[in-house]
Amino acid sequence: LNDGDFDGVLPVSLSGEGQKRFKIRARDWLGHDSANDPILSAQVDFVAPEIKDNLNFSRLGEFMGEVVVATDISVDVFEKNFNEIKAFSSQADVDGTLGECDSDDEEEDLWRCHWNSVEVSPSDSVSITFQAKDDFGNTAERTLSQSFTRDIVTPQIQFLGTEQIFEDRSYVQ
């Protein structure tokens, strides 16, 4: 058996994802062609997952104080054959933990991933690197950041009393 100069490797570049069909034809040195040209089909995926730009810290909003805060973190991933996503950060206690992901009810191939009760260190900006992988081994990595307004001023009591005053005095029990 001689496959020419191909060494058993089909010299073709494939892209996309879904069902691909291959027609295989054989010809010998004397010019005889194969009687049946079998058509093979295979499920393929050459597209890496897409990590969306929607990082969310549910408890923090726009502000960050001076203490470590436990918050849920979420991000979306678009992928037909989604497998897993991990998060890494020096500013949040995630250290490569897997996210819990659920498929979206309305948009096909959209996965909503979250990490619960992640401790986030106080900072003006928090960056998290996400690594997503699909069932075919395609990987994507993306670092997302969110900026916060630092609130480091303690509240000052302006008035302690009741709304109604008797003889220029407010009585609090």
Side-chain angles (χ1 to χ4, degrees):
L1 176 67
N2 182 350
D3 67 350
D5 297 329
F6 301 129
D7 293 325
V9 177
L10 184 64
V12 65
S13 176
L14 300 173
S15 63
E17 61 186 343
Q19 199 74 16
K20 299 288 182 182
R21 297 169 47 117
F22 303 94
K23 189 173 188 178
I24 300 173
R25 181 174 290 153
R27 177 178 286 154
D28 66 14
W29 290 104
L30 300 174
H32 299 108
D33 287 330
S34 57
N36 294 333
D37 295 333
I39 297 175
L40 303 174
S41 65
Q43 184 73 21
V44 298
D45 183 353
F46 299 100
V47 178
E50 178 186 353
I51 301 168
K52 298 291 191 177
D53 188 17
N54 66 334
L55 175 62
N56 182 34
F57 296 87
S58 64
R59 264 192 81 203
L60 296 178
E62 299 176 24
F63 298 95
M64 175 75 77
E66 290 186 292
V67 296
V68 172
V69 176
T71 182
D72 295 344
I73 296 174
S74 65
V75 70
D76 290 348
V77 178
F78 189 78
E79 171 59 42
K80 184 178 189 108
N81 302 297
F82 181 71
N83 185 303
E84 67 181 26
I85 186 167
K86 294 180 181 180
F88 301 88
S89 177
S90 61
Q91 299 163 302
D93 186 27
V94 284
D95 298 328
T97 56
L98 289 172
E100 295 179 26
C101 302
D102 299 308
S103 62
D104 187 73
D105 294 335
E106 297 175 11
E107 189 171 347
E108 189 175 347
D109 302 334
L110 181 66
W111 295 85
R112 303 210 180 266
C113 303
H114 62 275
W115 291 258
N116 295 325
S117 300
V118 175
E119 291 186 352
V120 178
S121 299
S123 179
D124 292 333
S125 178
V126 176
S127 297
I128 298 181
T129 300
F130 297 98
Q131 292 177 347
K133 187 167 99 175
D134 68 15
D135 291 334
F136 288 82
N138 300 308
T139 59
E141 182 173 305
R142 184 170 186 187
T143 301
L144 299 174
S145 299
Q146 184 166 337
S147 297
F148 297 98
T149 301
R150 291 295 299 271
D151 183 3
I152 57 175
V153 178
T154 58
Q156 300 293 321
I157 298 174
Q158 299 292 325
F159 173 77
L160 178 61
T162 61
E163 289 182 18
Q164 295 185 354
I165 298 174
F166 178 71
E167 294 181 357
D168 292 330
R169 298 185 125 196
S170 174
Y171 293 94
V172 177
Q173 293 184 10

